[in-house]
Amino acid sequence: MQAISIKFLSKTIPVLNYTHKNSQMDLLSKKLKELELHFEFRKKLKMISLIEIIGDVAIFKYNDGTKLYLEVS
């Protein structure tokens, strides 16, 4: 497991990369860049406490225990 953090707008979010591939982090960064102007996504991202990358999926975990799945490939 590779622990990194990613910065999105003004928030730094820890990322657990279970794939051990830097390409997955690049894909996640690219996907977040695409969603940067999406208002609802930015609003939800403020409450995220952790991101896990497993395979081609990024799992956004919220403080209340809910999850949001995002395909990054």
Side-chain angles (χ1 to χ4, degrees):
M1 175 177 56
Q2 184 180 14
I4 306 171
S5 62
I6 194 164
K7 188 167 176 91
F8 183 76
L9 300 175
S10 62
K11 182 173 178 150
T12 302
I13 306 166
V15 178
L16 298 177
N17 188 356
Y18 290 105
T19 62
H20 302 288
K21 296 179 185 175
N22 289 334
S23 61
Q24 295 297 74
M25 284 297 296
D26 294 336
L27 289 171
L28 177 62
S29 296
K30 192 181 296 184
K31 190 64 130 176
L32 288 176
K33 186 71 173 168
E34 289 175 14
L35 294 169
E36 194 172 80
L37 298 176
H38 191 270
F39 178 73
E40 287 297 318
F41 182 76
R42 285 176 32 195
K43 190 171 150 183
K44 289 180 182 179
L45 198 65
K46 289 180 182 178
M47 297 178 286
I48 290 177
S49 62
L50 176 71
I51 300 173
E52 292 180 343
I53 299 177
I54 302 174
D56 293 337
V57 177
I59 303 169
F60 295 80
K61 294 189 174 185
Y62 292 93
N63 294 329
D64 64 358
T66 58
K67 299 175 184 177
L68 171 71
Y69 295 86
L70 180 67
E71 185 177 355
V72 293
S73 63

PDB file of all heavy atoms in Angstrom, residues 31-62:
ATOM      1  N   LYS A  31      -8.750  12.917 -13.698  1.00  0.00           N
ATOM      2  CA  LYS A  31     -10.200  12.857 -13.500  1.00  0.00           C
ATOM      3  C   LYS A  31     -10.674  13.992 -12.591  1.00  0.00           C
ATOM      4  O   LYS A  31     -11.703  14.617 -12.837  1.00  0.00           O
ATOM      5  CB  LYS A  31     -10.572  11.503 -12.896  1.00  0.00           C
ATOM      6  CG  LYS A  31     -12.029  11.240 -12.872  1.00  0.00           C
ATOM      7  CD  LYS A  31     -12.589  11.162 -14.265  1.00  0.00           C
ATOM      8  CE  LYS A  31     -13.408   9.931 -14.428  1.00  0.00           C
ATOM      9  NZ  LYS A  31     -14.048   9.845 -15.729  1.00  0.00           N
ATOM     10  N   LEU A  32      -9.907  14.281 -11.535  1.00  0.00           N
ATOM     11  CA  LEU A  32     -10.265  15.390 -10.648  1.00  0.00           C
ATOM     12  C   LEU A  32     -10.183  16.724 -11.382  1.00  0.00           C
ATOM     13  O   LEU A  32     -10.976  17.628 -11.128  1.00  0.00           O
ATOM     14  CB  LEU A  32      -9.363  15.396  -9.420  1.00  0.00           C
ATOM     15  CG  LEU A  32      -9.610  14.281  -8.409  1.00  0.00           C
ATOM     16  CD1 LEU A  32      -8.580  14.339  -7.300  1.00  0.00           C
ATOM     17  CD2 LEU A  32     -11.013  14.346  -7.842  1.00  0.00           C
ATOM     18  N   LYS A  33      -9.223  16.850 -12.283  1.00  0.00           N
ATOM     19  CA  LYS A  33      -9.092  18.075 -13.085  1.00  0.00           C
ATOM     20  C   LYS A  33     -10.328  18.258 -13.971  1.00  0.00           C
ATOM     21  O   LYS A  33     -10.818  19.374 -14.128  1.00  0.00           O
ATOM     22  CB  LYS A  33      -7.814  17.996 -13.924  1.00  0.00           C
ATOM     23  CG  LYS A  33      -7.494  19.239 -14.662  1.00  0.00           C
ATOM     24  CD  LYS A  33      -7.051  20.309 -13.717  1.00  0.00           C
ATOM     25  CE  LYS A  33      -6.569  21.511 -14.507  1.00  0.00           C
ATOM     26  NZ  LYS A  33      -6.396  22.671 -13.674  1.00  0.00           N
ATOM     27  N   GLU A  34     -10.839  17.140 -14.532  1.00  0.00           N
ATOM     28  CA  GLU A  34     -12.050  17.199 -15.358  1.00  0.00           C
ATOM     29  C   GLU A  34     -13.263  17.640 -14.540  1.00  0.00           C
ATOM     30  O   GLU A  34     -14.126  18.348 -15.033  1.00  0.00           O
ATOM     31  CB  GLU A  34     -12.346  15.826 -15.968  1.00  0.00           C
ATOM     32  CG  GLU A  34     -11.405  15.390 -17.040  1.00  0.00           C
ATOM     33  CD  GLU A  34     -11.689  13.963 -17.504  1.00  0.00           C
ATOM     34  OE1 GLU A  34     -12.775  13.410 -17.180  1.00  0.00           O
ATOM     35  OE2 GLU A  34     -10.821  13.397 -18.177  1.00  0.00           O
ATOM     36  N   LEU A  35     -13.329  17.196 -13.290  1.00  0.00           N
ATOM     37  CA  LEU A  35     -14.483  17.479 -12.435  1.00  0.00           C
ATOM     38  C   LEU A  35     -14.338  18.771 -11.631  1.00  0.00           C
ATOM     39  O   LEU A  35     -15.200  19.086 -10.816  1.00  0.00           O
ATOM     40  CB  LEU A  35     -14.715  16.305 -11.477  1.00  0.00           C
ATOM     41  CG  LEU A  35     -15.130  15.002 -12.143  1.00  0.00           C
ATOM     42  CD1 LEU A  35     -15.072  13.857 -11.147  1.00  0.00           C
ATOM     43  CD2 LEU A  35     -16.518  15.126 -12.739  1.00  0.00           C
ATOM     44  N   GLU A  36     -13.268  19.503 -11.866  1.00  0.00           N
ATOM     45  CA  GLU A  36     -12.992  20.715 -11.103  1.00  0.00           C
ATOM     46  C   GLU A  36     -14.092  21.765 -11.216  1.00  0.00           C
ATOM     47  O   GLU A  36     -14.381  22.480 -10.266  1.00  0.00           O
ATOM     48  CB  GLU A  36     -11.666  21.313 -11.573  1.00  0.00           C
ATOM     49  CG  GLU A  36     -11.098  22.349 -10.673  1.00  0.00           C
ATOM     50  CD  GLU A  36      -9.709  22.739 -11.108  1.00  0.00           C
ATOM     51  OE1 GLU A  36      -9.592  23.539 -12.062  1.00  0.00           O
ATOM     52  OE2 GLU A  36      -8.745  22.233 -10.523  1.00  0.00           O
ATOM     53  N   LEU A  37     -14.762  21.843 -12.348  1.00  0.00           N
ATOM     54  CA  LEU A  37     -15.806  22.840 -12.555  1.00  0.00           C
ATOM     55  C   LEU A  37     -17.206  22.313 -12.236  1.00  0.00           C
ATOM     56  O   LEU A  37     -18.180  23.046 -12.356  1.00  0.00           O
ATOM     57  CB  LEU A  37     -15.761  23.350 -13.996  1.00  0.00           C
ATOM     58  CG  LEU A  37     -14.455  24.052 -14.392  1.00  0.00           C
ATOM     59  CD1 LEU A  37     -14.480  24.426 -15.853  1.00  0.00           C
ATOM     60  CD2 LEU A  37     -14.195  25.255 -13.516  1.00  0.00           C
ATOM     61  N   HIS A  38     -17.315  21.070 -11.828  1.00  0.00           N
ATOM     62  CA  HIS A  38     -18.597  20.462 -11.481  1.00  0.00           C
ATOM     63  C   HIS A  38     -18.954  20.859 -10.045  1.00  0.00           C
ATOM     64  O   HIS A  38     -18.344  20.392  -9.083  1.00  0.00           O
ATOM     65  CB  HIS A  38     -18.496  18.940 -11.626  1.00  0.00           C
ATOM     66  CG  HIS A  38     -19.804  18.252 -11.548  1.00  0.00           C
ATOM     67  ND1 HIS A  38     -20.329  17.819 -10.365  1.00  0.00           N
ATOM     68  CD2 HIS A  38     -20.693  17.924 -12.509  1.00  0.00           C
ATOM     69  CE1 HIS A  38     -21.488  17.251 -10.592  1.00  0.00           C
ATOM     70  NE2 HIS A  38     -21.733  17.295 -11.887  1.00  0.00           N
ATOM     71  N   PHE A  39     -19.945  21.718  -9.893  1.00  0.00           N
ATOM     72  CA  PHE A  39     -20.263  22.305  -8.600  1.00  0.00           C
ATOM     73  C   PHE A  39     -20.660  21.262  -7.563  1.00  0.00           C
ATOM     74  O   PHE A  39     -20.200  21.302  -6.426  1.00  0.00           O
ATOM     75  CB  PHE A  39     -21.369  23.351  -8.748  1.00  0.00           C
ATOM     76  CG  PHE A  39     -21.770  23.961  -7.439  1.00  0.00           C
ATOM     77  CD1 PHE A  39     -20.933  24.860  -6.789  1.00  0.00           C
ATOM     78  CD2 PHE A  39     -22.977  23.637  -6.839  1.00  0.00           C
ATOM     79  CE1 PHE A  39     -21.284  25.419  -5.579  1.00  0.00           C
ATOM     80  CE2 PHE A  39     -23.338  24.189  -5.628  1.00  0.00           C
ATOM     81  CZ  PHE A  39     -22.494  25.083  -5.004  1.00  0.00           C
ATOM     82  N   GLU A  40     -21.530  20.319  -7.919  1.00  0.00           N
ATOM     83  CA  GLU A  40     -21.987  19.312  -6.954  1.00  0.00           C
ATOM     84  C   GLU A  40     -20.828  18.443  -6.482  1.00  0.00           C
ATOM     85  O   GLU A  40     -20.751  18.092  -5.304  1.00  0.00           O
ATOM     86  CB  GLU A  40     -23.076  18.432  -7.572  1.00  0.00           C
ATOM     87  CG  GLU A  40     -24.405  19.124  -7.717  1.00  0.00           C
ATOM     88  CD  GLU A  40     -25.004  19.522  -6.377  1.00  0.00           C
ATOM     89  OE1 GLU A  40     -24.944  18.726  -5.417  1.00  0.00           O
ATOM     90  OE2 GLU A  40     -25.532  20.639  -6.282  1.00  0.00           O
ATOM     91  N   PHE A  41     -19.912  18.090  -7.380  1.00  0.00           N
ATOM     92  CA  PHE A  41     -18.763  17.277  -6.991  1.00  0.00           C
ATOM     93  C   PHE A  41     -17.858  18.044  -6.035  1.00  0.00           C
ATOM     94  O   PHE A  41     -17.394  17.505  -5.041  1.00  0.00           O
ATOM     95  CB  PHE A  41     -17.978  16.833  -8.227  1.00  0.00           C
ATOM     96  CG  PHE A  41     -16.811  15.961  -7.899  1.00  0.00           C
ATOM     97  CD1 PHE A  41     -16.997  14.635  -7.558  1.00  0.00           C
ATOM     98  CD2 PHE A  41     -15.526  16.471  -7.905  1.00  0.00           C
ATOM     99  CE1 PHE A  41     -15.924  13.818  -7.246  1.00  0.00           C
ATOM    100  CE2 PHE A  41     -14.441  15.673  -7.587  1.00  0.00           C
ATOM    101  CZ  PHE A  41     -14.644  14.346  -7.256  1.00  0.00           C
ATOM    102  N   ARG A  42     -17.612  19.312  -6.327  1.00  0.00           N
ATOM    103  CA  ARG A  42     -16.771  20.136  -5.445  1.00  0.00           C
ATOM    104  C   ARG A  42     -17.405  20.268  -4.069  1.00  0.00           C
ATOM    105  O   ARG A  42     -16.710  20.251  -3.049  1.00  0.00           O
ATOM    106  CB  ARG A  42     -16.562  21.512  -6.052  1.00  0.00           C
ATOM    107  CG  ARG A  42     -15.586  21.483  -7.187  1.00  0.00           C
ATOM    108  CD  ARG A  42     -15.414  22.793  -7.871  1.00  0.00           C
ATOM    109  NE  ARG A  42     -15.554  23.967  -7.036  1.00  0.00           N
ATOM    110  CZ  ARG A  42     -15.708  25.181  -7.512  1.00  0.00           C
ATOM    111  NH1 ARG A  42     -15.725  25.380  -8.809  1.00  0.00           N
ATOM    112  NH2 ARG A  42     -15.830  26.195  -6.709  1.00  0.00           N
ATOM    113  N   LYS A  43     -18.723  20.376  -4.022  1.00  0.00           N
ATOM    114  CA  LYS A  43     -19.440  20.496  -2.758  1.00  0.00           C
ATOM    115  C   LYS A  43     -19.283  19.211  -1.938  1.00  0.00           C
ATOM    116  O   LYS A  43     -19.052  19.261  -0.728  1.00  0.00           O
ATOM    117  CB  LYS A  43     -20.912  20.765  -3.061  1.00  0.00           C
ATOM    118  CG  LYS A  43     -21.746  21.147  -1.898  1.00  0.00           C
ATOM    119  CD  LYS A  43     -23.113  21.578  -2.422  1.00  0.00           C
ATOM    120  CE  LYS A  43     -24.193  21.300  -1.440  1.00  0.00           C
ATOM    121  NZ  LYS A  43     -25.506  21.639  -1.948  1.00  0.00           N
ATOM    122  N   LYS A  44     -19.380  18.049  -2.594  1.00  0.00           N
ATOM    123  CA  LYS A  44     -19.229  16.765  -1.910  1.00  0.00           C
ATOM    124  C   LYS A  44     -17.783  16.528  -1.495  1.00  0.00           C
ATOM    125  O   LYS A  44     -17.526  15.897  -0.477  1.00  0.00           O
ATOM    126  CB  LYS A  44     -19.677  15.626  -2.822  1.00  0.00           C
ATOM    127  CG  LYS A  44     -21.154  15.577  -3.047  1.00  0.00           C
ATOM    128  CD  LYS A  44     -21.515  14.436  -3.959  1.00  0.00           C
ATOM    129  CE  LYS A  44     -23.000  14.400  -4.242  1.00  0.00           C
ATOM    130  NZ  LYS A  44     -23.352  13.304  -5.136  1.00  0.00           N
ATOM    131  N   LEU A  45     -16.841  17.017  -2.276  1.00  0.00           N
ATOM    132  CA  LEU A  45     -15.428  16.769  -2.007  1.00  0.00           C
ATOM    133  C   LEU A  45     -14.965  17.441  -0.721  1.00  0.00           C
ATOM    134  O   LEU A  45     -14.007  17.001  -0.105  1.00  0.00           O
ATOM    135  CB  LEU A  45     -14.577  17.239  -3.185  1.00  0.00           C
ATOM    136  CG  LEU A  45     -13.176  16.671  -3.236  1.00  0.00           C
ATOM    137  CD1 LEU A  45     -13.236  15.168  -3.454  1.00  0.00           C
ATOM    138  CD2 LEU A  45     -12.368  17.313  -4.317  1.00  0.00           C
ATOM    139  N   LYS A  46     -15.649  18.470  -0.277  1.00  0.00           N
ATOM    140  CA  LYS A  46     -15.279  19.161   0.958  1.00  0.00           C
ATOM    141  C   LYS A  46     -15.406  18.250   2.173  1.00  0.00           C
ATOM    142  O   LYS A  46     -14.741  18.458   3.168  1.00  0.00           O
ATOM    143  CB  LYS A  46     -16.155  20.396   1.160  1.00  0.00           C
ATOM    144  CG  LYS A  46     -15.858  21.502   0.198  1.00  0.00           C
ATOM    145  CD  LYS A  46     -16.752  22.683   0.454  1.00  0.00           C
ATOM    146  CE  LYS A  46     -16.487  23.776  -0.541  1.00  0.00           C
ATOM    147  NZ  LYS A  46     -17.378  24.920  -0.347  1.00  0.00           N
ATOM    148  N   MET A  47     -16.255  17.231   2.088  1.00  0.00           N
ATOM    149  CA  MET A  47     -16.514  16.359   3.231  1.00  0.00           C
ATOM    150  C   MET A  47     -15.747  15.044   3.163  1.00  0.00           C
ATOM    151  O   MET A  47     -15.905  14.190   4.027  1.00  0.00           O
ATOM    152  CB  MET A  47     -18.012  16.079   3.316  1.00  0.00           C
ATOM    153  CG  MET A  47     -18.830  17.325   3.556  1.00  0.00           C
ATOM    154  SD  MET A  47     -20.601  17.002   3.593  1.00  0.00           S
ATOM    155  CE  MET A  47     -20.932  16.737   1.848  1.00  0.00           C
ATOM    156  N   ILE A  48     -14.908  14.854   2.155  1.00  0.00           N
ATOM    157  CA  ILE A  48     -14.173  13.602   1.995  1.00  0.00           C
ATOM    158  C   ILE A  48     -12.987  13.566   2.943  1.00  0.00           C
ATOM    159  O   ILE A  48     -12.251  14.537   3.078  1.00  0.00           O
ATOM    160  CB  ILE A  48     -13.710  13.432   0.534  1.00  0.00           C
ATOM    161  CG1 ILE A  48     -14.917  13.169  -0.336  1.00  0.00           C
ATOM    162  CG2 ILE A  48     -12.698  12.312   0.404  1.00  0.00           C
ATOM    163  CD1 ILE A  48     -14.634  13.043  -1.786  1.00  0.00           C
ATOM    164  N   SER A  49     -12.805  12.419   3.590  1.00  0.00           N
ATOM    165  CA  SER A  49     -11.700  12.274   4.526  1.00  0.00           C
ATOM    166  C   SER A  49     -10.566  11.427   3.973  1.00  0.00           C
ATOM    167  O   SER A  49      -9.428  11.549   4.426  1.00  0.00           O
ATOM    168  CB  SER A  49     -12.199  11.666   5.840  1.00  0.00           C
ATOM    169  OG  SER A  49     -12.727  10.382   5.603  1.00  0.00           O
ATOM    170  N   LEU A  50     -10.852  10.559   2.986  1.00  0.00           N
ATOM    171  CA  LEU A  50      -9.840   9.634   2.484  1.00  0.00           C
ATOM    172  C   LEU A  50     -10.239   9.144   1.096  1.00  0.00           C
ATOM    173  O   LEU A  50     -11.423   8.976   0.810  1.00  0.00           O
ATOM    174  CB  LEU A  50      -9.735   8.433   3.438  1.00  0.00           C
ATOM    175  CG  LEU A  50      -8.812   7.298   3.067  1.00  0.00           C
ATOM    176  CD1 LEU A  50      -7.354   7.726   3.190  1.00  0.00           C
ATOM    177  CD2 LEU A  50      -9.073   6.098   3.946  1.00  0.00           C
ATOM    178  N   ILE A  51      -9.243   8.903   0.247  1.00  0.00           N
ATOM    179  CA  ILE A  51      -9.468   8.298  -1.065  1.00  0.00           C
ATOM    180  C   ILE A  51      -8.654   7.016  -1.115  1.00  0.00           C
ATOM    181  O   ILE A  51      -7.475   7.013  -0.777  1.00  0.00           O
ATOM    182  CB  ILE A  51      -9.044   9.224  -2.218  1.00  0.00           C
ATOM    183  CG1 ILE A  51      -9.825  10.535  -2.190  1.00  0.00           C
ATOM    184  CG2 ILE A  51      -9.229   8.528  -3.564  1.00  0.00           C
ATOM    185  CD1 ILE A  51      -9.358  11.564  -3.197  1.00  0.00           C
ATOM    186  N   GLU A  52      -9.281   5.921  -1.555  1.00  0.00           N
ATOM    187  CA  GLU A  52      -8.584   4.657  -1.759  1.00  0.00           C
ATOM    188  C   GLU A  52      -8.648   4.316  -3.239  1.00  0.00           C
ATOM    189  O   GLU A  52      -9.706   4.424  -3.852  1.00  0.00           O
ATOM    190  CB  GLU A  52      -9.232   3.523  -0.969  1.00  0.00           C
ATOM    191  CG  GLU A  52      -9.092   3.636   0.517  1.00  0.00           C
ATOM    192  CD  GLU A  52      -9.746   2.477   1.252  1.00  0.00           C
ATOM    193  OE1 GLU A  52     -10.571   1.758   0.653  1.00  0.00           O
ATOM    194  OE2 GLU A  52      -9.435   2.307   2.432  1.00  0.00           O
ATOM    195  N   ILE A  53      -7.523   3.891  -3.800  1.00  0.00           N
ATOM    196  CA  ILE A  53      -7.495   3.444  -5.189  1.00  0.00           C
ATOM    197  C   ILE A  53      -7.322   1.932  -5.179  1.00  0.00           C
ATOM    198  O   ILE A  53      -6.324   1.414  -4.674  1.00  0.00           O
ATOM    199  CB  ILE A  53      -6.359   4.103  -5.980  1.00  0.00           C
ATOM    200  CG1 ILE A  53      -6.543   5.603  -6.004  1.00  0.00           C
ATOM    201  CG2 ILE A  53      -6.308   3.545  -7.397  1.00  0.00           C
ATOM    202  CD1 ILE A  53      -5.438   6.351  -6.690  1.00  0.00           C
ATOM    203  N   ILE A  54      -8.301   1.236  -5.727  1.00  0.00           N
ATOM    204  CA  ILE A  54      -8.265  -0.210  -5.828  1.00  0.00           C
ATOM    205  C   ILE A  54      -8.599  -0.559  -7.274  1.00  0.00           C
ATOM    206  O   ILE A  54      -9.724  -0.343  -7.726  1.00  0.00           O
ATOM    207  CB  ILE A  54      -9.271  -0.880  -4.869  1.00  0.00           C
ATOM    208  CG1 ILE A  54      -8.969  -0.469  -3.434  1.00  0.00           C
ATOM    209  CG2 ILE A  54      -9.255  -2.384  -5.029  1.00  0.00           C
ATOM    210  CD1 ILE A  54      -9.970  -0.940  -2.423  1.00  0.00           C
ATOM    211  N   GLY A  55      -7.621  -1.072  -7.991  1.00  0.00           N
ATOM    212  CA  GLY A  55      -7.826  -1.380  -9.404  1.00  0.00           C
ATOM    213  C   GLY A  55      -8.043  -0.095 -10.184  1.00  0.00           C
ATOM    214  O   GLY A  55      -7.259   0.842 -10.088  1.00  0.00           O
ATOM    215  N   ASP A  56      -9.140  -0.049 -10.942  1.00  0.00           N
ATOM    216  CA  ASP A  56      -9.469   1.127 -11.747  1.00  0.00           C
ATOM    217  C   ASP A  56     -10.496   2.018 -11.075  1.00  0.00           C
ATOM    218  O   ASP A  56     -11.089   2.878 -11.712  1.00  0.00           O
ATOM    219  CB  ASP A  56     -10.002   0.691 -13.113  1.00  0.00           C
ATOM    220  CG  ASP A  56      -8.947   0.014 -13.958  1.00  0.00           C
ATOM    221  OD1 ASP A  56      -7.755   0.260 -13.702  1.00  0.00           O
ATOM    222  OD2 ASP A  56      -9.305  -0.756 -14.866  1.00  0.00           O
ATOM    223  N   VAL A  57     -10.721   1.815  -9.780  1.00  0.00           N
ATOM    224  CA  VAL A  57     -11.756   2.555  -9.058  1.00  0.00           C
ATOM    225  C   VAL A  57     -11.148   3.350  -7.909  1.00  0.00           C
ATOM    226  O   VAL A  57     -10.315   2.844  -7.168  1.00  0.00           O
ATOM    227  CB  VAL A  57     -12.828   1.580  -8.512  1.00  0.00           C
ATOM    228  CG1 VAL A  57     -13.875   2.324  -7.706  1.00  0.00           C
ATOM    229  CG2 VAL A  57     -13.474   0.800  -9.629  1.00  0.00           C
ATOM    230  N   ALA A  58     -11.575   4.591  -7.791  1.00  0.00           N
ATOM    231  CA  ALA A  58     -11.205   5.428  -6.643  1.00  0.00           C
ATOM    232  C   ALA A  58     -12.422   5.476  -5.726  1.00  0.00           C
ATOM    233  O   ALA A  58     -13.530   5.777  -6.164  1.00  0.00           O
ATOM    234  CB  ALA A  58     -10.816   6.819  -7.086  1.00  0.00           C
ATOM    235  N   ILE A  59     -12.203   5.142  -4.462  1.00  0.00           N
ATOM    236  CA  ILE A  59     -13.283   5.140  -3.482  1.00  0.00           C
ATOM    237  C   ILE A  59     -13.091   6.350  -2.577  1.00  0.00           C
ATOM    238  O   ILE A  59     -12.094   6.448  -1.866  1.00  0.00           O
ATOM    239  CB  ILE A  59     -13.277   3.849  -2.649  1.00  0.00           C
ATOM    240  CG1 ILE A  59     -13.387   2.635  -3.565  1.00  0.00           C
ATOM    241  CG2 ILE A  59     -14.417   3.872  -1.629  1.00  0.00           C
ATOM    242  CD1 ILE A  59     -13.125   1.326  -2.866  1.00  0.00           C
ATOM    243  N   PHE A  60     -14.027   7.284  -2.632  1.00  0.00           N
ATOM    244  CA  PHE A  60     -13.993   8.482  -1.813  1.00  0.00           C
ATOM    245  C   PHE A  60     -14.775   8.191  -0.541  1.00  0.00           C
ATOM    246  O   PHE A  60     -15.976   7.930  -0.599  1.00  0.00           O
ATOM    247  CB  PHE A  60     -14.628   9.657  -2.550  1.00  0.00           C
ATOM    248  CG  PHE A  60     -13.873  10.081  -3.772  1.00  0.00           C
ATOM    249  CD1 PHE A  60     -13.997   9.388  -4.965  1.00  0.00           C
ATOM    250  CD2 PHE A  60     -13.034  11.174  -3.725  1.00  0.00           C
ATOM    251  CE1 PHE A  60     -13.296   9.787  -6.085  1.00  0.00           C
ATOM    252  CE2 PHE A  60     -12.337  11.582  -4.834  1.00  0.00           C
ATOM    253  CZ  PHE A  60     -12.462  10.889  -6.019  1.00  0.00           C
ATOM    254  N   LYS A  61     -14.119   8.228   0.611  1.00  0.00           N
ATOM    255  CA  LYS A  61     -14.773   7.934   1.885  1.00  0.00           C
ATOM    256  C   LYS A  61     -15.060   9.233   2.621  1.00  0.00           C
ATOM    257  O   LYS A  61     -14.182  10.059   2.803  1.00  0.00           O
ATOM    258  CB  LYS A  61     -13.888   7.032   2.734  1.00  0.00           C
ATOM    259  CG  LYS A  61     -13.725   5.662   2.125  1.00  0.00           C
ATOM    260  CD  LYS A  61     -13.038   4.733   3.065  1.00  0.00           C
ATOM    261  CE  LYS A  61     -13.037   3.335   2.483  1.00  0.00           C
ATOM    262  NZ  LYS A  61     -12.494   2.364   3.413  1.00  0.00           N
ATOM    263  N   TYR A  62     -16.316   9.358   3.056  1.00  0.00           N
ATOM    264  CA  TYR A  62     -16.761  10.545   3.771  1.00  0.00           C
ATOM    265  C   TYR A  62     -16.630  10.339   5.275  1.00  0.00           C
ATOM    266  O   TYR A  62     -16.505   9.214   5.755  1.00  0.00           O
ATOM    267  CB  TYR A  62     -18.223  10.857   3.422  1.00  0.00           C
ATOM    268  CG  TYR A  62     -18.396  11.306   1.996  1.00  0.00           C
ATOM    269  CD1 TYR A  62     -18.706  10.390   1.005  1.00  0.00           C
ATOM    270  CD2 TYR A  62     -18.240  12.627   1.637  1.00  0.00           C
ATOM    271  CE1 TYR A  62     -18.860  10.791  -0.312  1.00  0.00           C
ATOM    272  CE2 TYR A  62     -18.398  13.045   0.333  1.00  0.00           C
ATOM    273  CZ  TYR A  62     -18.709  12.111  -0.641  1.00  0.00           C
ATOM    274  OH  TYR A  62     -18.849  12.514  -1.931  1.00  0.00           O
TER     275      TYR A  62
END
